[in-house]
Amino acid sequence: MRARPAYRIFRATALTVVVLVLVAPLVWMVAASLKTNVDIYDPAKALSFSPTLDNYDKVLQQANYVEFILNSLWVAFAATVASLILGVPAAYSMSRFTMKKSALVVLMARIIPGVSLLVPWFYVFSNLRMVGGFGVLIISHMFVSLPLVVYIMMGYFDSLPTELEEAALVDGLTHVGAFRRITLPLSVPGIATSGILSFIFSWNNFMFALVLSDADTKTLPVAIFDFVGYASIDWGGLMAATTVVTLPIMVIALFVQKYVVSGLTAGATKG
């Protein structure tokens, strides 16, 4: 009983420190995006400064970031949809028919760093004359999102009772029909979870787009580096561009976090 107040104080202190460590960079980023470059370098203007929207005007108009936003949306959306179309049936097959070798391949794809494939991919896709197009970006982003979808959905399908599908088979349905009419509607929370996470990972992907895109197809994470020069860095524009990239994902995460958590926990237990 005596340890409870001390534990509560320790827990509150630890949570406060963790929150400050996580939130402080975001606060500094947003504050710097509202400052001029002179104010950013002035320690006296850390908290007291005159806000300006010139950096956002530079990002959204002069740097043509609306086009880059649309590019990111298209690549992330297409990679997510394609990963769901391919990954959900694959995860169902691996779960129901105990395809351990295929599951091992998916696990290896999750473990292998994507950067190790950039050079061979660039060589192959350049010979196919695909470098610089949206197709190669979508395929490369699927390298991250497809194993994620399979990994999440295998656990979710394992948690669903097989008796419902067996009853459907007795009633005359095929395995495909049982999957389409019984299992697929029950797996909507898992599909939503894997789709949301895939979209977020694709939206934040930097390395693939840096190597495989061109001026017309580059996404937001790559476009941020337009503010980094050889001689100087436009910190105000860089922070405004980073805020434009970060805030949409933060808003999406805040609205869908309960669905992500429920989808992940739904596949955490069997039966």
Side-chain angles (χ1 to χ4, degrees), residues 4 8-9 60 82 88 96 113 121 148 160 178 231 237 241 243 256 258 262:
R4 285 187 177 180
R8 291 176 181 175
I9 295 174
L60 296 176
V88 172
R96 287 294 184 262
W121 275 5
L148 179 66
L160 295 178
T243 303
V256 303
K258 62 179 181 180
S262 62

Side-chain angles (χ1 to χ4, degrees), residues 105-150:
V105 172
V106 173
L107 181 60
M108 291 178 61
R110 288 281 298 151
I111 296 174
I112 296 175
V115 67
S116 63
L117 300 175
L118 277 178
V119 173
W121 275 5
F122 181 81
Y123 177 77
V124 172
F125 289 124
S126 62
N127 289 332
L128 295 175
R129 297 183 179 181
M130 295 178 61
V131 173
F134 286 111
V136 66
L137 291 178
I138 294 171
I139 293 173
S140 62
H141 284 207
M142 286 177 62
F143 175 78
V144 177
S145 58
L146 182 57
L148 179 66
V149 170
V150 175

Side-chain angles (χ1 to χ4, degrees), residues 211-262:
V211 177
L212 300 174
S213 66
D214 61 12
D216 295 329
T217 60
K218 64 181 176 182
T219 56
L220 272 177
V222 179
I224 289 176
F225 275 79
D226 291 342
F227 295 94
V228 179
Y230 291 103
S232 62
I233 300 177
D234 183 3
W235 285 107
L238 182 62
M239 291 300 101
T242 307
T243 303
V244 171
V245 175
T246 306
L247 286 184
I249 290 300
M250 291 184 62
V251 172
I252 292 175
L254 288 175
F255 279 101
V256 303
Q257 61 175 339
K258 62 179 181 180
Y259 301 105
V260 173
V261 173
S262 62

